[in-house]
Amino acid sequence: MTNIIDVLSILEKLAPSRLAEEWDNVGLQAGSLGVEVHGVLVALNVNEKVMEEAEARGCDLILTHHPLIFQPLLSVSDANAAGRLVQQALRGGISVVAAHTNLDAAPGGLADVMAELAGLVHTRPLSGSPAPWSKLVTFVPAAGLDRVRAALFDAGAGEIGDYRHCSYTTMGTGTFLPMEGARPAIGAVGKDESVEELRLEMVFPGGRDDEIIAALSAVHPYEEPAYDIYPLATRSHESGCGRAGQLEAPVSLRGFAAVLARAFGMDSARFSGDASRTVRRAAVVPGSGAGMIGTAAAVSDVLVTGDLKYHDLTQAEDLGLALIEIPHDICETGLLSLWSESLEQRLAPLGVSVSISAVETCLWHEVQAGDAGPAANTGTDTGNKDGGVGLHHLHVDGGSRGNPGPAAIGAVLEDRRGNQVAMLSRAIGAATNNVAEYRALIAGVEMALEHGVRELAVFSDSELVIRQLRGEYKVKNQGLLPLYEEARECLGKLERYQLDSVPREDNARADGLVNQALDAAGG
């Protein structure tokens, strides 16, 4: 019998949970560890149709790339989508496991699959994963060195890459004064002693401090061995965000974009930069990788990723980096399908089948010009794909002088042609910057609704608030959760909206209203 624990064990080898970003939520999200598993359905997201598909295919477990539970759930009820899906999963006897940024970063994971699909060779992580290593420093008389070193090696210390028994020693002098009750191996009670000692250093995997100290204490000739343990800020060269590598043969930027479009089954692919530019080195980041533009520019001619905005393109242009956009959902859906072959190879001997979901879970929809059809309430954050063309614009800002301190909010509502429709500027008492930013967004959306606006592009210079509302960041501050929920409820009253973070200089009018309110209130 194969159960959830067995599947999780295999997943841990393919996509170790330690590789997940701190803000992420991976692993078992719904279900029981002891439940028997006969089939796994691999999906980009989980929704009701994916649940129904799993039941129809006889799959007991859904492996989702995007976590079902991302923000902390205050309750499991039908009041929110995640609660409804958790209940549906439990009723149907279906477990849900998420493998997200850990799967992106892992050796053989989505980043490596994408690099191979792009034809890259000699690849390495664009940014290595943090590697939890520590260093032990201890002091040993020469006669005991070999015994102590051997015991530490046996306990797992002294491994660096493909090398074992790695250590470093330097000679020095140790001093000590044994007090009443001590049983010194060298010297006598009440008498100062100095001994030639070797400073012994070696690294060991983080989190194994107790084992290493126990091994040291068991063989060290001193009654009280002296030691220091230092955490190391090391990074892995085998796993991490994205991949950078070389093309087997140089190609034009236009030609490389065409190759990628074909590889991902697309009719075309957008790119920025000189179409005739020669590409020799490339970087790839599955999903959303705009945050890696600066890193990619140092090692690559072009970055291939999704969710790119106008300001990302201008940043890349300033750095001399070309960009090729593969939409987030198209990229990860294709990569998951290819990666699932590795999962199937591991699970097939255990009698567990692996299926790829055929359900379309992307929130984007396409329509041909002239085929608008009836209007519908999408209630969706579309991101800033078109800069808010055709929507009312709302610029919001909040700030405090003191954090927390006297705080104020400002908002400017503009129509589709950029004409000002309404504005607000008021003090809100003492608050933190983040609270003020949320309050500004809520007040601004309410103002837009009062003016009959139903389609809105919201711009804020608070990247934190925008990313939290998009679901890209968790709301870790419990004090912000009620404001987050209120903001989501407020946005849900719109028929269509999109959220974008902008530089402060692009939000100058709203920022000016905040300062105006603070000055008027004497803050």
Side-chain angles (χ1 to χ4, degrees), residues 16-27:
S17 55
R18 61 179 172 79
L19 299 181
E21 295 289 343
E22 182 182 356
W23 48 263
D24 205 1
N25 186 26
V26 302

Side-chain angles (χ1 to χ4, degrees), residues 397-446:
D397 194 23
S400 68
R401 293 175 179 173
N403 202 31
I409 60 175
V412 179
L413 178 65
E414 300 172 340
D415 66 18
R416 292 168 172 80
R417 296 180 180 273
N419 300 313
Q420 182 173 308
V421 174
M423 58 171 280
L424 65 85
S425 174
R426 63 172 178 262
I428 59 171
T432 65
N433 281 321
N434 289 336
V435 167
E437 295 281 7
Y438 263 111
R439 293 275 296 275
L441 189 144
I442 292 166
V445 174
E446 289 176 341

